[in-house]
């Protein structure tokens, strides 16, 4: 998974929707859908099932979320460190 895939997957999983993820990431819905589709193609399996207009995480997505969440939190920690260094 690429860094952008991780960001988009985390946002969709956390918000429960493409719309929510797009708002969290400050990007368009089509952009989020496109990155999700690319991630699923690269991985070779679906991360979410589309059921009655809702995204439901697959078992694979549920398994991936813990390590992705750890990486996501580490990235945010790195951003804070670099911001603190800049604003010293």
């Amino acid at each position: 998974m690429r860094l952008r895939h991780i960001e988009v997957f985390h946002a969709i999983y956390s918000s429960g929707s493409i719309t929510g993820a797009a708002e969290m990431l400050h990007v368009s819905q089509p952009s989020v859908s496109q990155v999700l589709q690319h991630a699923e193609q690269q991985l070779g399996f679906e991360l979410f099932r589309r059921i009655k207009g809702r995204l439901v995480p697959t078992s694979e997505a549920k398994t991936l979320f813990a390590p992705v969440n750890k990486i996501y939190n580490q990235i945010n920690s790195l951003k804070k460190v670099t911001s603190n260094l800049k604003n010293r």
Side-chain angles (χ1 to χ4, degrees):
M1 289 182 88
R2 295 182 180 175
L3 179 56
R4 191 63 178 160
H5 295 162
I6 289 169
E7 291 174 327
V8 168
F9 170 70
H10 189 274
I12 295 169
Y13 195 99
S14 298
S15 70
S17 71
I18 297 286
T19 302
E23 290 172 4
M24 286 174 66
L25 298 169
H26 307 288
V27 297
S28 68
Q29 292 176 18
S31 172
V32 171
S33 294
Q34 186 177 29
V35 172
L36 174 59
Q37 183 180 25
H38 186 257
E40 290 175 329
Q41 287 173 348
Q42 293 258 313
L43 292 168
F45 54 83
E46 282 188 327
L47 293 168
F48 299 93
R49 288 206 167 60
R50 287 88 176 150
I51 301 173
K52 296 181 182 178
R54 300 198 57 97
L55 292 179
V56 178
T58 61
S59 61
E60 292 87 352
K62 291 175 184 177
T63 301
L64 276 177
F65 187 73
V68 163
N69 192 47
K70 183 177 178 180
I71 292 168
Y72 185 81
N73 289 332
Q74 289 173 332
I75 291 166
N76 281 336
S77 179
L78 178 61
K79 287 178 183 177
K80 288 178 187 175
V81 169
T82 58
S83 178
N84 288 340
L85 289 170
K86 178 182 176 182
N87 297 321
R88 256 203 245 190

